[in-house]
């Protein structure tokens, strides 16, 4: 978080983050535009607003993010890599250990991405946008991530039922992940990963979140003096926003929502 001042005028508290691109300190893969067997970054993005976009046979909207200025040959390679992986995923033999979708997707990365986005019930993360993958030419797998864009998650949303802490929203609405859930080995891997990481996640919700909020409290106080947002509707706030008139009340709401969500997910995943 940074306190932004422009031309001597305070403009509020902003989140400063790195963009997702190919770089040794970001997504550390070879660039397909620089090396024939290199990789690329793409996004499931319903806006289809990049220089190269296409829609797969199963109606998944794809945008090439990096390299963003790819020639026709690279564009065709990107399309073929992604479409081939999807075709195998929806084939009759998709669970085959040697020729199935696991040969094309890094399943561990899918599971890690899924847990974080399902836990936050991130409304955009089913099929809409900010769903990033990278293809690594060295292992020829589609890796899911990095995680990105949680502004309308964790109960801060009033549509698609994502204000409710119940329901496995991503599982039921993500075209590719929904298909993977019909593979019993995928489900077992997910259950094991959840079992191994859930205590850490619960501790984060109940200790780390408040500690970060405390660190930012002075910045938040000045920000909300500049921008009178607390207790007022800002799209897409869910019901009850008018009662959350302090910074701490918003923090409390998020922590409580995530605890309820965590309890629901723990039961739901174990019951799969």
């Amino acid at each position: 978080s940074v306190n932004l001042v422009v031309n001597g005028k305070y403009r509020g508290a902003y989140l400063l983050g790195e963009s997702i691109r190919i770089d040794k300190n970001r997504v550390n893969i070879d660039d397909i535009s620089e090396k024939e067997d290199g990789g690329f970054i793409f996004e499931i993005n319903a806006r289809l607003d990049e220089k190269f976009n296409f829609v797969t046979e199963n109606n998944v909207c794809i945008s090439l993010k990096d390299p963003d200025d790819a020639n026709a040959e690279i564009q065709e390679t990107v399309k073929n890599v992604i479409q081939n992986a999807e075709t195998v995923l929806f084939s009759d033999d998709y669970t085959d250990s040697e020729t199935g979708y696991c040969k094309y997707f890094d399943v561990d990365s899918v599971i890690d991405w899924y847990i974080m986005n399902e836990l936050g019930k991130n409304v955009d993360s089913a099929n809409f946008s900010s769903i990033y993958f990278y293809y690594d030419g060295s292992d020829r797998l589609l890796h899911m991530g990095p995680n990105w864009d949680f502004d309308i998650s964790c109960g801060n949303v009033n549509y698609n039922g994502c204000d409710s802490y119940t329901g496995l929203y991503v599982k039921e609405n993500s075209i590719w992940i929904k298909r993977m859930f019909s593979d019993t080995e995928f489900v077992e891997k997910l259950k094991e990963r959840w079992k191994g990481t859930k205590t850490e996640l619960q501790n984060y919700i109940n200790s780390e979140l408040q500690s970060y909020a405390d660190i930012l409290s002075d910045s938040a106080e000045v920000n909300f003096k500049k921008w009178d947002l607390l207790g007022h509707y800002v799209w897409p706030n869910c019901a009850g926003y008018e009662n959350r008139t302090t910074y701490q009340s918003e923090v409390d709401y998020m922590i409580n929502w995530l605890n309820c969500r965590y309890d629901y997910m723990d039961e739901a995943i174990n019951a799969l």
Side-chain angles (χ1 to χ4, degrees), residues 7-257:
N7 295 329
K9 291 185 178 181
Y10 172 72
R11 303 301 295 171
Y14 280 70
L15 181 65
L16 180 66
E18 292 188 349
S19 61
I20 294 175
R21 61 181 176 85
I22 297 173
D23 184 89
K24 66 179 181 179
N25 295 312
R26 297 188 187 185
V27 179
N28 187 16
I29 58 175
D30 291 323
D31 190 327
I32 194 173
S33 66
E34 299 173 358
K35 189 175 180 181
E36 186 175 350
D37 60 349
F40 53 86
I41 300 171
F42 68 95
E43 174 191 7
I44 295 178
N45 173 31
R47 297 185 180 94
L48 296 172
D49 55 3
E50 294 295 331
K51 291 181 180 179
F52 176 61
N53 312 276
F54 71 97
V55 180
T56 71
E57 293 173 4
N58 282 273
N59 293 316
V60 178
C61 298
I62 303 293
S63 291
L64 179 62
K65 302 296 289 187
D66 197 11
D68 58 354
D69 195 13
N71 61 34
E73 183 180 0
I74 290 174
Q75 290 177 4
E76 189 65 20
T77 298
V78 167
K79 185 175 181 179
N80 288 340
V81 166
I82 297 170
Q83 185 56 66
N84 186 48
E86 183 191 75
T87 299
V88 171
L89 177 62
F90 284 88
S91 69
D92 292 339
D93 298 326
Y94 74 108
T95 61
D96 188 282
S97 59
E98 294 185 5
T99 61
Y101 75 98
C102 291
K103 183 181 177 182
Y104 300 88
F105 289 87
D106 172 23
V107 175
D108 290 341
S109 72
V110 174
I111 288 172
D112 282 352
W113 183 97
Y114 170 78
I115 287 173
M116 292 307 300
N117 284 274
E118 191 74 274
L119 180 62
K121 209 173 185 185
N122 185 359
V123 71
D124 288 339
S125 69
N127 288 301
F128 186 69
S129 68
S130 298
I131 305 163
Y132 284 89
F133 288 77
Y134 64 91
Y135 173 75
D136 188 345
S138 66
D139 62 17
R140 307 185 74 175
L141 292 174
L142 300 182
H143 301 259
M144 200 164 191
N147 270 305
W148 191 257
D149 197 359
F150 286 80
D151 58 332
I152 44 178
S153 65
C154 305
N156 183 39
V157 59
N158 63 1
Y159 61 94
N160 287 4
C162 286
D163 53 333
S164 168
Y165 56 80
T166 64
L168 295 180
Y169 170 77
V170 180
K171 170 185 178 289
E172 294 303 321
N173 292 283
S174 169
I175 294 172
W176 288 350
I177 291 177
K178 184 176 183 178
R179 175 66 167 173
M180 292 179 190
F181 263 93
S182 61
D183 174 20
T184 55
E185 287 194 18
F186 178 87
V187 173
E188 289 307 310
K189 280 187 175 182
L190 168 63
K191 292 169 81 168
E192 282 301 308
R193 181 59 170 156
W194 174 257
K195 181 180 178 181
T197 196
K198 68 177 189 176
T199 300
E200 184 179 357
L201 289 171
Q202 189 177 42
N203 289 339
Y204 185 89
I205 292 167
N206 289 297
S207 60
E208 295 297 314
L209 285 181
Q210 185 60 60
S211 68
Y212 283 125
D214 291 343
I215 291 170
L216 297 172
S217 60
D218 289 343
S219 178
E221 182 179 356
V222 178
N223 178 79
F224 290 121
K225 285 180 180 177
K226 172 70 176 178
W227 305 109
D228 185 21
L229 302 175
L230 294 168
H232 302 293
Y233 178 75
V234 178
W235 182 90
N237 291 163
C238 66
Y241 65 86
E242 66 276 9
N243 300 318
R244 297 190 293 274
T245 57
T246 65
Y247 170 63
Q248 186 58 48
S249 68
E250 286 285 7
V251 174
D252 291 342
Y253 169 77
M254 182 173 69
I255 291 173
N256 179 68
W257 191 93

